[in-house]
Amino acid sequence: MISNIISGFTEKRHLIQFCAVFFLLTSSALKAQEDPPRPIAVTATAQSLGFGAFYPGAAGGTVSISPLGARSATGDVVLLNLGFTFAPALYEIVGNPGTVITLLNGSDVLLTGSNGGSMTLHIGLSNPLSPFVLSAPYPMPTQLRIGGTLSVGNIGANPPGAYTGTFNVTFNQQ
């Protein structure tokens, strides 16, 4: 009888030891809190905001590029297809999934022409729309496209040429 009790106690002790070892082998690492957020990294790609070729006409107007790359004009501006690229600005953002990003567009920018003249650039909407949440796993980039509108004067104020300038966009990580 004592041997049966000792044998039963030994079997229970082995079962408890087995369960403890099994639990240790199958448990995963536990954390008390998540890792601190990484600061976002923003990279401007080779795709700049471009409006392509157009003719301003006698009254002028606007040329717009949507964040998806669609080009449109108002007034008597005529859009030309001469092989000059038109596209939204493209940025790549890397950060922790779940990070909220808010864009703050800078003020309007004066673009100067290679043959004289100037035009005003107004930075437009983005795709994805601001604010947005990073969803790509780290370190995969999230692509952000930003459009804009160019205020074009008449042909006398805006002679043909290349118009250049720099605009500012602030990326706020929350």
Side-chain angles (χ1 to χ4, degrees):
M1 170 115 177
I2 292 179
S3 67
N4 286 343
I5 292 173
I6 293 173
S7 173
F9 178 70
T10 304
E11 288 175 10
K12 287 181 184 177
R13 188 175 68 171
H14 289 309
L15 181 61
I16 291 170
Q17 288 173 343
F18 173 77
C19 289
V21 169
F22 180 75
F23 176 73
L24 290 174
L25 292 176
T26 60
S27 67
S28 61
L30 301 175
K31 293 182 179 182
Q33 68 185 48
E34 63 185 47
D35 292 331
R38 292 177 184 91
I40 61 168
V42 178
T43 305
T45 66
Q47 183 172 307
S48 308
L49 179 58
F51 293 89
F54 55 88
Y55 179 78
T62 65
V63 178
S64 296
I65 300 292
S66 78
L68 298 177
R71 183 170 71 151
S72 61
T74 64
D76 67 350
V77 175
V78 177
L79 301 176
L80 304 173
N81 293 315
L82 300 175
F84 293 96
T85 303
F86 58 90
L90 177 62
Y91 297 90
E92 291 188 338
I93 304 170
V94 175
N96 283 342
T99 302
V100 177
I101 306 294
T102 303
L103 301 178
L104 297 172
N105 291 346
S107 57
D108 290 353
V109 175
L110 192 65
L111 305 181
T112 55
S114 59
N115 294 321
S118 62
M119 297 182 206
T120 303
L121 169 64
H122 175 77
I123 302 303
L125 297 175
S126 66
N127 182 22
L129 283 172
S130 176
F132 60 95
V133 178
L134 296 180
S135 59
Y138 184 85
M140 297 297 295
T142 297
Q143 291 191 337
L144 174 77
R145 290 171 173 79
I146 299 176
T149 300
L150 193 58
S151 295
V152 181
N154 62 32
I155 188 67
N158 292 128
Y163 288 77
T164 58
T166 303
F167 64 87
N168 293 315
V169 177
T170 302
F171 295 81
N172 285 332
Q173 172 181 344
Q174 301 170 2

